[in-house]
Amino acid sequence: MSAVEEEGTKMDKYQYERLIQDFQTKLSISIDPQADPNEFQPSSSNSEEPPRHITRLLIFDFDSTLFHSPLPSTELWSDTLAGALIGDCGWFSEPKTLQPPYIPDAPSEEWWDPEVVQAAREGIKDKQRTLTVLLTGRRHDLFGDRIIKMCQALNPPLKFDLLFFREGHNVDPQWRHPTTLDFKLGVLRSLLKHFPTIDHIELYDDRKRHLDLFAKELQVLCKKEKIKSFQVKHVVHAEVKHMPPELEKGLVEELVARCNGRIAAAKRREEEEKHSGAVDLPCKPQRRTSASVFRSLLELTEQVRYTGIFFKEDDVQMLRDKFGKPSDTWRFRADHITICMGPAKDDLVEPLGGIGAQVDVCVTAVGSIPDRVLAVKVEQPSEDAPPLSENATPHITIAVSFGAKAQESNHITEWTPLDAPFVLTGTIEEKKVIGLQVERGPAQMKKKEVSIGNLIQKHHPHLKGRGIGMAVREVDEWMAKTFIENNGQNAAVIEWFVQGLRIDELLEKSASGSLDRLGTSRSSLPRITEQAFVMEPE
């Protein structure tokens, strides 16, 4: 092979494949003599360390698994805007979200998950038989150096054998994974190809649906006797980290302005193409450069989320200390009584003294819904006082479990009277956040609001019958992998994906029977739960 051909072969790989090969050449590995020599060739090493006989693979996700990555604060933004910041505005693609002053230069241990860090350290210590890997969908060019520095700043540092980052945008679709899940599965398959002695795999991730799909892949490998066992471990962080409020507000302004700039530019290009007379052939649709052309400009406005009686920090902490929470996976609340949703209603607020008035309430009982919410019941100190809330049972939600919502406290039916009721004083206020000028809450959204079939017919009018069904399944699979819900908020990105479907490739996949059928599920789980599979001997 010529030097040019060799260099071309080297470049015709994903970056992670080159990293794995480079790592492999640095090791002298004892492998099973029955391993296929065509799949794996051990190389010599000058290291004085004994050869590593790798039989165990540990894979750790970064965001919300190993590290408490900051998220948009729901204390500042409406749920709809927070979702748009992550989806439309590219929160996880913005390097500032992991840089000082938005987070500390060397984040302390409170920013890291202690159990996951400990599992990683134990794997790194057991280096003779364990390959320890960090695998994240963050892009290498934007986050690689920063995340490596953060891991090394821990005491002791986290020295993974391999760190894999999502490759930057590549114009050649042949060397680009469509989703983070596809990227992670590609890394897993490459690792197993180059290290065939691995017979046990453990994965740590915060995304249950990713783990479900990983588990399906690993079960197939077990049945084919490629590995003997695996565990997928779902990590749940009870507390979410946020940036300092003023810094976050400034960053959000930047992200929204940039997003609106992309939307305006995409729409201008679209108009220019229409007026130029250029027409795409319907059988070969071209992927537009972004989903921005299908989006509307983000117009921000102040909103009142709810009106309530709010307590001072000392009283909030007293309630948390007194009643606690059932487990570490639960999140504390204990800061207010909801009077009504939305702006203050005069008929409820004025009898209590109006906005800014101080109100005494008596805490009389405690109740809960197992595995969901914990709350205390409150009453007016005197019988002839006006009602505290439009809720049937006024209450203070103390804590909620992962996946539950504070408003579920309204469904508590059994209350245990306190031996010693006590009085708290709070202030009537409106809870204000910034939201979108036009947005709809969950109650107003239909479960399936975007017609995938209609979009396919719009952008691929030549498809009929079975072809439409095949394309719908492809879109459903992509939505499952990327956690895109079928609602109006995601209409733009769904249409962007549909418009760019490569129908000829779908037809080939269908003919070869290689279209996957993926399932997803949701559940509320303890902080780290395990799903294990062990191949039973015949």
Side-chain angles (χ1 to χ4, degrees), residues 321-490:
D321 292 341
K322 184 176 182 66
F323 296 100
K325 55 183 180 179
S327 81
D328 289 340
T329 65
W330 287 49
R331 298 178 184 179
F332 272 127
R333 294 291 187 267
D335 62 342
H336 74 280
I337 302 166
T338 300
I339 297 176
C340 62
M341 300 305 295
K345 297 179 180 179
D346 289 344
D347 59 330
L348 289 170
V349 172
E350 291 305 320
L352 294 170
I355 296 293
Q358 291 194 325
V359 180
D360 291 336
V361 299
C362 186
V363 181
T364 61
V366 61
S368 67
I369 297 177
D371 300 323
R372 303 298 293 177
V373 291
L374 171 69
V376 292
K377 183 179 179 181
V378 296
E379 300 175 3
Q380 284 278 34
S382 60
E383 293 183 1
D384 59 347
L388 291 171
S389 171
E390 66 180 1
N391 292 328
T393 304
H395 60 271
I396 306 168
T397 298
I398 301 296
V400 298
S401 69
F402 177 78
K405 295 183 180 298
Q407 52 262 44
E408 293 180 38
S409 298
N410 289 308
H411 303 305
I412 297 174
T413 56
E414 296 184 8
W415 299 90
T416 302
L418 298 181
D419 293 334
F422 57 94
V423 174
L424 292 174
T425 300
T427 304
I428 298 177
E429 299 175 7
E430 292 180 325
K431 175 59 180 177
K432 296 179 179 180
V433 296
I434 301 299
L436 296 177
Q437 186 74 39
V438 179
E439 66 175 50
R440 291 175 293 171
Q444 297 168 282
M445 285 187 176
K446 296 179 182 178
K447 202 164 189 180
K448 285 195 174 181
E449 194 167 281
V450 180
S451 172
I452 307 300
N454 287 346
L455 288 178
I456 289 168
Q457 290 178 303
K458 172 183 174 181
H459 292 286
H460 308 280
H462 59 291
L463 284 180
K464 305 295 179 186
R466 178 174 172 273
I468 294 175
M470 174 192 64
V472 168
R473 288 193 296 272
E474 182 76 1
V475 177
D476 286 342
E477 176 182 323
W478 166 76
M479 291 172 67
K481 288 179 178 178
T482 53
F483 314 133
I484 298 292
E485 299 290 343
N486 189 332
N487 58 42
Q489 182 180 331
N490 297 320

Side-chain angles (χ1 to χ4, degrees), residues 271-278:
E271 285 300 313
E272 289 170 0
E273 290 175 6
K274 287 180 181 178
H275 289 94
S276 69

